[in-house]
Amino acid sequence: MTTAETAPPNRATAQAPTAPPPPPPMRLRELVFGAALSAAVRAAARLGVPDALGDTPQSAEALAAKVHTEPKPLRRMLRALACYGVFAERPDGTFAHTDMSRLLREDDPNSLRAIALWCTEPWTWAAWPKLDEAVRSGRNVVEGLFGKEFFTYLNEDAPESADVFNQAMTRSSEQSAREVAALLDLSGSASVADLGGGQGHVVACLLDKYPQMHGSLLDLPRVVENALPRLREGGDLAGRAQIVPGDVREAIPVKADVYVIKNILEWDDESTARLLHNVVQAGGPGTRVIVIENLVDDTPSMRFSTAMDLLLLLNVGGAKHTTDSMVSRLTAAGLAVDTVRPVNPYLHAFECRVGA
């Protein structure tokens, strides 16, 4: 196995430090008030402040009139966000966009608005205070809080939060699918199957890149009902795509030259092992398997990935992986890992083959 060097952070959006880091006592105070910052980001997104603020700096009074808030509390919220580079307060008291605040706009091509809302949904505020309980037991806390498995709770009791989750996953998939397709060299392969592929953004991008390739999208029935129109009957890719409803943890009824598994090997170990076993059985010796995951190794996304790792512990009892823990699971399932390469600063691709 060879491991490519981790990609550096995107320098185009890097912010030069404007002041020395605070001393440890102040930094700890900032950290324990982190909920205030998360709440402010959520409030700004829900109020539509990033969308109301255009290219010209505006006063809090002008923005308040646009988003129907009181100007003084809005100024206080913007001031708090500006301390962290989400908006910028100018000497004349007006506020302007920054690279980060633009990502909260709905119309930004790289928008993270849905992700920001998903990570601050009401259930998260109930779950985070119970992290010590989850660490002590090693189990999720959502079932104890709501009496139901996490996704059952979302769909039955919190439909608005379920909608936010779907929007966040759709936007995230749209953005990363293009990068995944650009990275992967599938020339010489006639077919690809995207396992647990959601609406099919990855397989659609791969079919665009390889006009002679056929692709399959496999996911739960309620998920593939909302597959991209391009993949469904009448779509421009329908002639080369098939949509297969089912649970990939139970069976993979599709034969393909390449199987892609993206961001779904973060369940409990038993479910992960079942899926990988199914891939090996479906593909047979020599079949390519490409696993794409966030890692909690020393990568530019460590703060994000480790936080998501804790959130997975809280809601489903799952976990993000280190490079070693992912490789050990893949090899235990009968896969030989050839290379590990960064897709972007927060995703890595494990290129594997089914062993003899």
Side-chain angles (χ1 to χ4, degrees):
M1 179 187 74
T2 60
T3 303
E5 182 179 353
T6 300
N10 184 347
R11 294 178 180 175
T13 58
Q15 300 282 341
T18 57
M26 182 54 65
R27 182 60 182 143
L28 184 58
R29 287 181 169 89
E30 292 173 357
L31 289 173
V32 297
F33 267 104
L37 178 61
S38 298
V41 171
R42 177 179 177 83
R46 284 172 57 86
L47 290 168
V49 176
D51 301 284
L53 179 59
D55 293 331
T56 302
Q58 296 185 45
S59 67
E61 290 74 18
L63 282 169
K66 289 183 176 180
V67 300
H68 309 293
T69 67
E70 290 295 322
K72 288 184 179 179
L74 179 60
R75 173 180 290 280
R76 292 162 63 184
M77 186 182 75
L78 291 172
R79 181 177 58 201
L81 288 169
C83 290
Y84 291 88
V86 185
F87 303 106
E89 185 173 9
R90 294 161 57 89
D92 63 0
T94 60
F95 291 90
H97 268 305
T98 63
D99 289 345
M100 280 198 289
S101 63
R102 288 186 187 278
L103 294 173
L104 293 173
R105 291 180 61 96
E106 287 190 346
D107 62 358
D108 190 279
N110 298 308
S111 177
L112 294 177
R113 182 181 185 275
I115 292 290
L117 293 176
W118 166 242
C119 293
T120 56
E121 279 295 283
W123 69 266
T124 67
W125 303 98
W128 279 120
K130 294 184 175 293
L131 181 59
D132 59 329
E133 178 182 321
V135 170
R136 189 177 294 114
S137 68
R139 296 191 297 271
N140 79 75
V141 301
V142 162
E143 290 185 37
L145 281 169
F146 304 113
K148 297 180 180 180
E149 182 268 340
F150 178 63
F151 286 106
T152 302
Y153 160 73
L154 278 189
N155 289 300
E156 293 182 354
D157 300 342
E160 291 185 6
S161 191
D163 288 343
V164 170
F165 173 76
N166 291 333
Q167 293 166 18
M169 295 304 100
T170 296
R171 180 55 71 97
S172 179
S173 294
E174 288 173 348
Q175 294 167 353
S176 61
R178 295 187 291 269
E179 296 172 312
V180 169
L183 175 76
L184 300 182
D185 181 3
L186 304 188
S187 53
S189 299
S191 59
V192 60
D194 187 6
L195 307 182
Q199 295 177 312
H201 293 284
V202 169
V203 72
C205 286
L206 289 171
L207 294 181
D208 282 337
K209 183 177 180 180
Y210 298 101
Q212 306 305 314
M213 182 178 284
H214 285 72
S216 300
L217 170 65
L218 290 79
D219 212 320
L220 298 171
R222 68 176 183 273
V223 177
V224 296
E225 283 177 0
N226 297 309
L228 294 176
R230 299 185 65 198
L231 302 174
R232 300 201 299 261
E233 184 176 356
D236 64 303
L237 296 176
R240 295 189 288 128
Q242 66 169 330
I243 297 173
V244 183
D247 188 341
V248 294
R249 293 170 294 182
E250 300 302 325
I252 298 174
V254 169
K255 177 72 174 177
D257 295 333
V258 182
Y259 293 90
V260 177
I261 308 170
K262 179 176 176 290
N263 282 133
I264 60 172
L265 294 186
E266 50 195 29
W267 305 311
D268 60 277
D269 287 347
E270 180 185 351
S271 296
T272 294
R274 289 207 316 268
L275 169 55
L276 293 175
H277 171 78
N278 293 340
V279 173
V280 169
Q281 294 300 308
T287 301
R288 288 181 69 184
V289 179
I290 300 169
V291 174
I292 299 167
E293 287 288 338
N294 304 106
L295 297 176
V296 288
D297 285 289
D298 186 15
T299 70
S301 66
M302 277 288 285
R303 291 182 179 178
F304 167 75
S305 297
T306 54
M308 286 300 298
D309 179 51
L310 295 178
L311 191 63
L312 283 167
L313 171 61
L314 290 174
N315 63 2
V316 296
K320 295 291 183 183
H321 293 280
T322 64
T323 302
D324 287 345
S325 70
M326 178 57 72
V327 168
S328 68
R329 283 162 174 77
L330 296 173
T331 54
L335 294 165
V337 180
D338 296 325
T339 62
V340 181
R341 295 190 290 162
V343 177
N344 55 34
Y346 56 91
L347 283 176
H348 281 70
F350 294 72
E351 301 220 24
C352 317
R353 293 188 182 274
V354 178

